[in-house]
Amino acid sequence: MNDFRKIPSVDHVLDWEEFDGYNRLQLTEATRRAFAEIRRAIADGREVATDRPSLVILIHERYRELMTPSLSPVINATGVILHTNLGRAPIGEEIFEEARAVATGYCNLEYDLEQGSRGDRYEHTATALQELLGCEEALIVNNNAAAVFLILNTFSRGKEVVVSRGELVEIGGSFRIPEVMAASGAKLVEVGTTNKTRISDYEAAITGETSMLMKVHKSNYTIEGFSEEATMGEISALAKERGLIDYYDLGSAYLPELPWGLGAAELSLPKILRNPPSLLSFSGDKLFGGVQAGIILGRRTLIERLKRNQILRMFRVDKVTLSLLEHTVLAYAKGETEKIPALWMLFTSQETLRKRALRLKDRLSIPSEVLLSETYVGGGTLPNRKIPTVVLALEGEAQELEAAFRAKRIIGRIEKDRFVLDMRTVEEGDFEAIFEAARDIGDGH
Ligand SMILES: *Cc1c(COP(=O)(O)O)cnc(C)c1O
């Protein structure tokens, strides 16, 4: 006989010796959840065990779930290298190890070891960036959105900023250039049309109120066909002539020339810096392949003014970010790009991916087929530009497989009604987890 009277009170359960040493608050919540399930089962007329050992098992299970972190690793088998929902660029293991000592102990974050006096927290990474890129000065903030806001707020509050209508972008749903601009206090002056903006349009829009000419990278869309835009070089020249600031919100920056013909559509950071804008900013965790940060490069006098803005304090990055970024910059400087996962994933040859797929297929308990395919870099970079890849297409109902693998924290994708694991973002180190998941799924777990 199953009825509600068999369920003990929560207070009673808290004193059971089986739960000695458990956190009381979490145990209370776990017990409530377990009992709610039992009541639902009873109400539905389902058979449910309410003896003490069964209750202990159920409560323990819910307790374990409460104590398991929600933010946890997944295997990215989507093939999208900078997957916004999966944390964008992964941090390189070696780079993480190098930053570990700084993070877990004390460090010279704001301490000048030579003078024995207060130092500048931004200097460490700035110096590394200056040496790598030959830029005049650099500043690091929390993310590129913060960089855009800080720059506009510092130089253009109550003043006009000229931007092309073709570049009023929205990124990732919540970052819209016109709204960020309004929040910063800058007045947006739109010039040109959606598909065509010439340098003469910028020129005609300059008034006594103009503070800045801004270019925004079209990160997640392309305008094709009958279109034209002013280059950053043209904008910089005009700004210089009129005594204005020229700022390039580049979004994503990369250093080595890109493979797969991607470089034809974009300029590398070293190329852009041959004719440096007064200010330039980009994300640390897009193609740069580092950690979440906004990297600002530019003229020293301007960066000094950014540092004097009180708002910088709110966008300040911690020692972990600064250390991870400095080590990423040093990896570039030493030519050790194999330490930067986003880059090696992008550069891996299709032949290497094919061999990887074959090794996975060999030991996978679900029958599969190796296929050539295409994927994207993602994360608001290189829009509409496909790159070659190799996938393992699994036999079986695609939606069911997708959900079953997702339950095991393996995120694949569906392509032509088949569930596929894309080798561009899967590493050899992920194989064991994939084999195990496939075995469980095959066994009906
Ligand atoms: C991605 C992007 C941003 C926002 O950068 P976050 O690092 O995500 O804050 C701003 N502007 C452009 C052009 C971008 O591509």
Side-chain angles (χ1 to χ4, degrees):
M1 187 193 78
N2 266 328
D3 69 27
F4 298 102
R5 275 167 300 168
K6 286 227 180 115
I7 307 175
S9 79
V10 173
D11 281 343
H12 188 66
V13 171
L14 294 182
D15 294 329
W16 285 1
E17 64 191 11
E18 289 92 329
F19 296 128
D20 275 357
Y22 281 48
N23 174 306
R24 271 183 93 82
L25 260 172
Q26 307 281 352
L27 181 61
T28 307
E29 178 58 25
T31 308
R32 285 211 185 100
R33 288 187 188 187
F35 287 0
E37 281 170 48
I38 292 174
R39 280 193 209 93
R40 261 198 310 279
I42 294 172
D44 293 350
R46 274 180 283 136
E47 200 64 32
V48 58
T50 51
D51 57 294
R52 181 157 162 164
S54 302
L55 291 179
V56 168
I57 290 170
L58 186 63
I59 293 166
H60 174 77
E61 182 66 18
R62 295 297 158 267
Y63 182 85
R64 206 178 46 81
E65 283 167 11
L66 285 173
M67 291 303 210
T68 304
S70 158
L71 182 60
S72 55
V74 302
I75 290 173
N76 176 9
T78 66
V80 178
I81 298 170
L82 302 170
H83 199 301
T84 307
N85 304 144
L86 304 182
R88 274 200 200 157
I91 295 165
E93 298 257 3
E94 279 179 73
I95 287 172
F96 196 81
E97 271 314 308
E98 285 167 316
R100 185 192 186 86
V102 163
T104 56
Y106 295 103
C107 63
N108 61 336
L109 180 64
E110 291 187 356
Y111 187 72
D112 184 329
L113 286 170
E114 274 172 35
Q115 307 291 328
S117 59
R118 193 192 164 119
D120 178 348
R121 73 163 54 216
Y122 299 107
E123 206 173 290
H124 313 282
T125 314
T127 306
L129 281 164
Q130 284 160 344
E131 281 162 12
L132 177 69
L133 298 167
C135 56
E136 206 174 292
E137 189 55 279
L139 179 64
I140 313 300
V141 292
N142 242 320
N143 50 36
N144 190 35
V148 174
F149 184 94
L150 181 69
I151 288 171
L152 292 172
N153 180 267
T154 305
F155 301 107
S156 305
R157 197 150 53 99
K159 296 188 193 137
E160 292 175 357
V161 176
V162 183
V163 189
S164 161
R165 281 205 173 83
E167 297 173 358
L168 296 173
V169 307
E170 167 171 323
I171 292 139
S174 56
F175 179 88
R176 289 180 163 184
I177 283 289
E179 281 161 35
V180 173
M181 213 172 254
S184 74
K187 286 184 214 152
L188 171 66
V189 177
E190 303 175 23
V191 296
T193 61
T194 307
N195 57 331
K196 279 210 177 199
T197 307
R198 300 184 183 89
I199 192 66
S200 55
D201 295 321
Y202 289 83
E203 194 159 15
I206 297 174
T207 70
E209 297 302 303
T210 309
S211 58
M212 180 185 290
L213 307 183
M214 178 178 181
K215 186 171 178 64
V216 184
H217 189 264
K218 293 192 287 291
S219 296
N220 48 10
Y221 64 104
T222 51
I223 297 177
E224 272 157 45
F226 189 64
S227 69
E228 189 177 328
E229 64 181 281
T231 65
M232 193 61 220
E234 290 174 312
I235 294 170
S236 292
L238 176 61
K240 195 168 286 169
E241 193 185 300
R242 298 301 193 88
L244 302 170
I245 294 169
D246 50 313
Y247 166 40
Y248 195 1
D249 172 15
L250 184 58
S252 175
Y254 65 91
L255 275 88
E257 288 304 315
L258 296 182
W260 318 118
L262 294 170
E266 310 264 338
L267 286 182
S268 66
L269 192 54
K271 279 192 179 151
I272 292 169
L273 291 175
R274 279 184 203 160
N275 181 12
S278 304
L279 288 169
L280 174 131
S281 72
F282 59 91
S283 299
D285 59 346
K286 288 188 181 170
L287 264 180
F288 195 69
V291 62
Q292 181 193 301
I295 301 174
I296 305 172
L297 309 178
R299 294 220 313 267
R300 183 160 297 122
T301 49
L302 300 179
I303 302 259
E304 286 308 322
R305 282 178 62 190
L306 292 175
K307 285 187 180 175
R308 286 199 297 274
N309 188 337
Q310 280 297 312
I311 287 176
L312 175 60
R313 178 65 187 235
M314 292 162 236
F315 297 151
R316 188 165 98 158
V317 283
D318 75 331
K319 56 183 183 278
V320 187
T321 297
L322 287 171
S323 181
L324 290 168
L325 211 52
E326 188 179 6
H327 283 292
T328 304
V329 174
L330 288 177
Y332 276 115
K334 294 179 195 162
E336 297 171 342
T337 44
E338 72 282 358
K339 286 187 180 170
I340 300 169
L343 276 193
W344 56 250
M345 284 182 198
L346 177 60
F347 277 84
T348 308
S349 74
Q350 216 171 7
E351 183 50 25
T352 302
L353 297 184
R354 199 181 64 86
K355 286 185 186 146
R356 189 179 293 168
L358 286 170
R359 278 196 297 278
L360 189 60
K361 173 188 160 72
D362 267 356
R363 288 183 49 211
L364 199 69
S365 53
I366 299 175
S368 62
E369 189 185 354
V370 176
L371 299 170
L372 301 183
S373 181
E374 288 177 315
T375 183
Y376 294 97
V377 177
T381 68
L382 304 159
N384 301 339
R385 301 298 301 264
K386 289 182 176 160
I387 59 172
T389 192
V390 176
V391 299
L392 199 58
L394 271 55
E395 227 168 71
E397 211 285 311
Q399 313 282 343
E400 277 170 26
L401 283 171
E402 190 278 329
F405 274 89
R406 179 155 39 83
K408 306 271 183 197
R409 296 171 189 273
I410 297 165
I411 319 295
R413 68 167 197 266
I414 293 176
E415 191 172 289
K416 297 186 189 120
D417 286 331
R418 296 179 80 176
F419 177 67
V420 306
L421 302 171
D422 192 315
M423 294 303 108
R424 190 154 292 284
T425 49
V426 169
E427 298 173 59
E428 211 82 18
D430 298 329
F431 279 15
E432 277 313 316
I434 297 175
F435 295 142
E436 199 179 309
R439 269 197 305 273
D440 286 354
I441 291 165
D443 292 348
H445 287 281

